[in-house]
Amino acid sequence: PPMSSKKINIERVQLGARVEKKLVKVLKAIAETGDMTLGELLEDIVLHSFEGVSTFPEEAQKKIILLREVYGLNYKAHDSYKFSEAKT
């Protein structure tokens, strides 16, 4: 669908969610390269995934691969089911 320039009024809420540390580092770096906040990036990712499409064009995918290497993010999507939080 074509993008409309008409603004959509929304209300944002604070979200208290715990997320894996390396994943947060990569997400923050992606947000920074796109000149957006972490919250805006998460909204974009979720809305795109609800429609079954990737939010990241090919060039961005290449940057993400590099950022994953930099921050040691070496697991894949289905690995999240295997996560076991370390006891502190």
Side-chain angles (χ1 to χ4, degrees), residues 31-79:
E32 179 67 28
T33 62
D35 196 28
M36 55 187 1
T37 67
L38 179 57
E40 290 168 336
L41 176 65
L42 292 174
E43 289 170 345
D44 192 51
I45 291 169
V46 171
L47 288 172
H48 277 81
S49 71
F50 284 173
E51 295 184 27
V53 296
S54 175
T55 189
F56 303 110
E58 186 178 338
E59 192 61 36
Q61 291 282 353
K62 293 175 185 176
K63 288 180 185 176
I64 291 169
I65 290 169
L66 293 174
L67 290 168
R68 289 176 61 121
E69 290 176 14
V70 167
Y71 292 109
L73 185 76
N74 56 3
Y75 46 83
K76 303 291 183 183
H78 293 288
D79 289 339

